[in-house]
Amino acid sequence: MAIQIGDKLPDVTFMEATENGPEPRRTEDVFAGKKIALFAVPGAFTPTCSVKHLPSFTDHADEIRARGVDDIVCTAVNDAFVMGEWAKSENANGIRMLADGNGAFAKAIGLELDVSGFGMGSRSQRYSMLVEDGIVKQLNVEKGPAFEVSSGDYLLTQL
């Protein structure tokens, strides 16, 4: 069953590209005591993710933070190197990129997506959520290939 508003995020380990190489980040370390805007994309460098989804958060980052959000986090079932390079290529300053390389987080929250028919294997569904101290306060999961409710501007209306 997919995660719901009011649920606590599961304890998983992401990887984050740093100057010292990929470093592990536990859910608790990222979300404890903070208000986080989290969004997930099916894949870095893919068309909708690069042209619409990521820019919707970079374009509204200052407004989102002005409404009390401590950090904006993007996750995808890609490795830390890919996430780091994607952030650089898209000038995603202020967006924290957390790699869910094996899809453990997507699976643990019940939002994995099988796109093996497109040669992409198991990925994450497209969504956004507002998380306070590890608890889901808002959850916006797209239906199918749509891009309507998971954008930065949509989440901004919920803050």
Side-chain angles (χ1 to χ4, degrees), residues 46-152:
T46 58
T48 301
C49 304
S50 292
V51 175
K52 295 179 181 178
H53 207 167
L54 180 58
S56 77
F57 280 89
T58 56
D59 292 348
H60 295 290
D62 291 340
E63 294 169 85
I64 291 169
R65 284 193 177 83
R67 297 207 184 159
V69 170
D70 298 304
D71 207 357
I72 301 170
V73 174
C74 175
T75 186
V77 181
N78 290 112
D79 64 60
F81 298 107
V82 168
M83 294 295 284
E85 289 303 312
W86 189 41
K88 287 178 195 172
S89 75
E90 296 296 325
N91 199 25
N93 299 324
I95 308 295
R96 188 171 186 186
M97 301 295 220
L98 296 180
D100 183 22
N102 295 322
F105 184 72
K107 188 175 212 173
I109 64 171
L111 292 175
E112 69 273 20
L113 175 67
D114 181 4
V115 284
S116 55
F118 296 101
M120 296 173 67
S122 181
R123 298 293 179 118
S124 174
Q125 290 184 43
R126 184 182 307 283
Y127 64 84
S128 68
M129 65 173 75
L130 181 65
V131 181
E132 292 183 31
D133 195 25
I135 306 296
V136 178
K137 298 297 184 177
Q138 294 288 341
L139 178 62
N140 310 300
V141 181
E142 296 291 357
K143 290 181 174 41
F147 179 66
E148 298 168 359
V149 299
S150 63
S151 68

